[in-house]
């Protein structure tokens, strides 16, 4: 639905819409992520009113043209085929499915073959009418405008945007209920490398431990000089690079660590990552590590506000995740307040090696015997969609 919003309206076909935007020096795009749908307009100040008229047309009168629907459907079905041949993509998709099963966070954002083939124009229209009305929308404007002026312009442009009286149906939890940890392998015979994903479902974006978790992850696996990368790349020579991260979402997104490692050292690489995580839980980090992580986070913040588009994107996070208006003003102080004890506390509270699932994409015949000998144990073979498959000698 989001992908088709900017592909033509009831009064403008896709080519006409593109021509009108180009004549104004404007850009318009629509899209959807895990937690929000957005329509983004960038235009010249002197062309604000006609550009807003185009934005209003897209938001209030999308055509969902049958030809465009079929084009998007074909594009996504092709994308699915390509994704099944990309080890990094396979690892990410299977990892999500292992953690969240058939809950929304466990499925590909691009859709599945079955869902894409089943989707009809009426489904798009119904979703648009029930979910994308003005009642749930926030408008963010960044540029050479005053609040009163831009509010008046928006009021005129969007006067026809009305809320559909049919209430949106309550959505099921996208994160579901976490199950037992699993150890799986997607077989890629002859692969020179193994893609490793290790993790578990974690906390939502508005969790009170967000700042200590951010500092902890930065020093553990979120920068080049992190513990994980220095250990597996610099000390052991197992990989060009490994890392970790939290996918903070409205509900509990995953924590993941991993990377691509040489096939021959898959088992020791997994063991080393788990050991590094256990050390993070067992002992406080050094003040030098803590200082380096804080400095990096504070310097990166300024770079996220260099353009109007970036400012608007940052402000959208306040809306999507329900963050306070002073979030950015207090960000540096909140980072500075994190102590070594906080880092150890959140590592113990939110990262338990016993809860971690392991996903490997590589040459099963080469990596499984060593994995079975080690602490990880036996692996369950799955296909590129995360479904169990049978092997003669598994």
């Amino acid at each position: 639905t989001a992908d088709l919003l900017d592909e033509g309206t009831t009064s403008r076909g896709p080519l006409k819409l593109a021509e009108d935007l180009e004549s104004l020096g404007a850009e318009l795009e629509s899209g959807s992520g895990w937690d929000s749908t957005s329509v983004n307009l960038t235009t010249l100040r002197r062309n604000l009113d006609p550009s807003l008229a185009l934005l209003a047309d897209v938001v209030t009168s999308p055509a969902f043209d049958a030809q465009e629907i079929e084009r998007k459907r074909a594009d996504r079905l092709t994308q699915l085929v390509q994704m099944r041949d990309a080890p990094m993509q396979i690892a990410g998709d299977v990892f999500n499915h292992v953690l969240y099963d058939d809950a929304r966070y466990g499925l590909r954002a691009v859709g599945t073959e079955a869902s894409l083939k089943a989707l009809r124009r009426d489904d798009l229209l119904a979703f648009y009418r029930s979910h994308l009305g003005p009642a749930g929308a926030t408008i963010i404007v960044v540029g050479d405008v005053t609040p009163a002026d831009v509010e008046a312009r928006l009021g005129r442009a969007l006067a026809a945007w009305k809320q559909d009286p049919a209430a949106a149906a309550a959505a099921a939890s996208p994160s579901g209920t976490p199950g037992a940890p699993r150890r799986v392998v997607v077989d890629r015979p002859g692969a020179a490398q193994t893609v490793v994903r290790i993790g578990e479902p974690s906390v939502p974006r508005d969790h009170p431990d967000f700042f200590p978790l951010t500092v902890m992850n930065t020093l553990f696996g979120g920068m080049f000089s992190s513990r994980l990368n220095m250990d597996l790349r610099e000390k052991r020579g197992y990989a060009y690079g490994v890392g970790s991260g939290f996918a903070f979402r409205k509900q509990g997104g995953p924590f993941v660590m991993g990377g691509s490692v040489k096939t021959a050292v898959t088992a020791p690489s997994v063991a080393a990552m788990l050991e590094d995580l256990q050390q993070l839980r067992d002992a406080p980090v050094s003040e030098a590590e803590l200082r380096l992580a804080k400095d990096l986070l504070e310097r990166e913040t300024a770079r996220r506000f260099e353009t109007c588009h970036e400012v608007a994107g940052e402000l959208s996070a306040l809306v999507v995740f329900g963050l306070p208006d002073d979030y950015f003003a207090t960000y540096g102080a909140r980072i500075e307040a994190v102590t070594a004890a906080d880092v150890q506390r959140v590592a113990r509270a939110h990262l338990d090696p016993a809860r971690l699932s392991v996903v490997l994409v590589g040459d099963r015949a080469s990596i499984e015997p060593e994995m079975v000998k080690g602490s990880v144990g036996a692996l369950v073979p799955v296909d590129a969609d995360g479904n169990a498959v049978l092997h003669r000698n598994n």
Side-chain angles (χ1 to χ4, degrees):
T1 303
D3 216 7
L4 284 160
L5 289 178
D6 61 351
E7 296 293 343
T9 71
T10 54
S11 61
R12 292 179 174 87
L15 293 179
K16 175 61 174 172
L17 178 59
E19 290 170 357
D20 289 349
L21 287 165
E22 185 177 10
S23 70
L24 296 170
E27 296 179 354
L28 189 147
E29 60 182 8
S30 60
S32 188
W34 289 114
D35 298 311
S36 65
T37 297
S38 63
V39 179
N40 303 308
L41 170 70
T42 304
T43 189
L44 302 172
R45 171 67 174 81
R46 64 176 180 270
N47 293 334
L48 183 56
D49 283 333
S51 297
L52 287 177
L54 293 179
L55 173 66
D57 196 21
V58 166
V59 169
T60 63
S61 306
F64 298 114
D65 179 76
Q67 185 175 346
E68 292 301 313
I69 292 173
E70 292 310 313
R71 183 173 66 84
K72 290 290 185 182
R73 191 197 313 274
D75 285 348
R76 292 197 171 206
L77 288 171
T78 300
Q79 188 178 350
L80 280 177
V81 174
Q82 295 170 336
M83 290 163 65
R84 290 194 180 101
D85 197 41
M88 295 287 285
Q89 184 69 53
I90 293 171
D93 291 340
V94 173
F95 177 76
N96 289 335
H97 192 60
V98 164
L99 263 58
Y100 298 103
D101 198 31
D102 289 330
R104 189 65 195 88
Y105 284 173
L107 305 178
R108 289 188 179 97
V110 72
T112 66
E113 185 174 352
S115 69
L116 289 169
K117 289 182 176 180
L119 202 61
R120 298 291 176 261
R121 183 175 185 273
D122 287 346
D123 300 320
L124 302 175
L125 281 169
F127 184 84
Y128 163 76
R129 289 168 178 162
S130 62
H131 289 76
L132 302 183
T138 297
I139 300 174
I140 297 171
V141 184
V142 182
D144 183 18
V145 292
T146 64
D149 176 52
V150 78
E151 187 172 0
R153 292 171 188 262
L154 286 165
R156 292 191 296 269
L158 296 170
W161 195 20
K162 304 298 183 182
Q163 183 71 28
D164 191 285
S173 169
S175 56
T177 302
R182 299 171 63 193
R183 313 287 193 258
V184 306
V185 58
V186 181
D187 193 11
R188 303 276 292 185
Q193 291 186 316
T194 302
V195 182
V196 179
R197 294 287 183 271
I198 305 173
E200 63 176 315
S202 192
V203 299
R205 173 61 182 81
D206 61 358
H207 194 280
D209 282 338
F210 171 78
F211 286 98
L213 283 171
T214 298
V215 173
M216 179 208 71
N217 179 71
T218 301
L219 64 87
F220 177 65
M223 57 184 177
F224 182 82
S225 58
S226 67
R227 285 190 178 188
L228 276 179
N229 201 47
M230 289 297 100
D231 184 14
L232 274 82
R233 173 191 163 103
E234 300 298 316
K235 179 182 176 181
R236 303 176 191 260
Y238 289 167
Y240 287 114
V242 296
S244 66
F246 288 90
F248 289 113
R249 301 172 185 162
K250 288 186 73 171
Q251 296 194 32
F255 164 80
V256 59
M257 60 179 175
S260 295
V261 304
K262 300 172 186 176
T263 297
V265 294
T266 300
S269 295
V270 171
M273 293 182 206
L274 295 174
E275 289 169 7
D276 289 341
L277 181 59
Q278 189 59 55
Q279 289 174 8
L280 187 70
R281 290 162 47 88
D282 289 344
V285 299
S286 69
E287 288 300 321
E289 285 181 289
L290 194 62
R291 182 72 267 155
L292 188 63
K294 290 181 179 181
D295 287 346
L296 177 65
L297 289 168
E298 290 165 12
R299 286 195 301 268
E300 283 183 340
T301 303
R303 292 203 298 269
R304 301 205 305 264
F305 291 85
E306 292 180 344
T307 68
C308 291
H309 186 77
E310 288 172 334
V311 173
E314 291 296 324
L315 293 176
S316 69
L318 305 187
V319 176
V320 174
F321 300 119
L323 305 178
D325 289 344
D326 66 350
Y327 171 77
F328 295 110
T330 60
Y331 180 88
R334 300 286 295 275
I335 291 294
E336 282 296 324
V338 175
T339 65
D342 291 329
V343 169
Q344 186 178 23
R345 175 184 63 80
V346 295
R348 288 176 171 175
H350 301 290
L351 298 176
D352 184 352
R355 295 196 305 257
L356 300 182
S357 289
V358 178
V359 172
L360 306 175
V361 179
D363 186 353
R364 181 190 177 197
S366 298
I367 64 181
E368 187 168 34
E370 294 303 315
M371 297 295 293
V372 172
K373 291 178 185 177
S375 58
V376 174
L379 302 173
V380 175
V382 299
D383 62 18
D385 295 316
N387 303 309
V389 295
L390 297 177
H391 289 260
R392 284 191 180 136
N393 299 310
N394 68 340

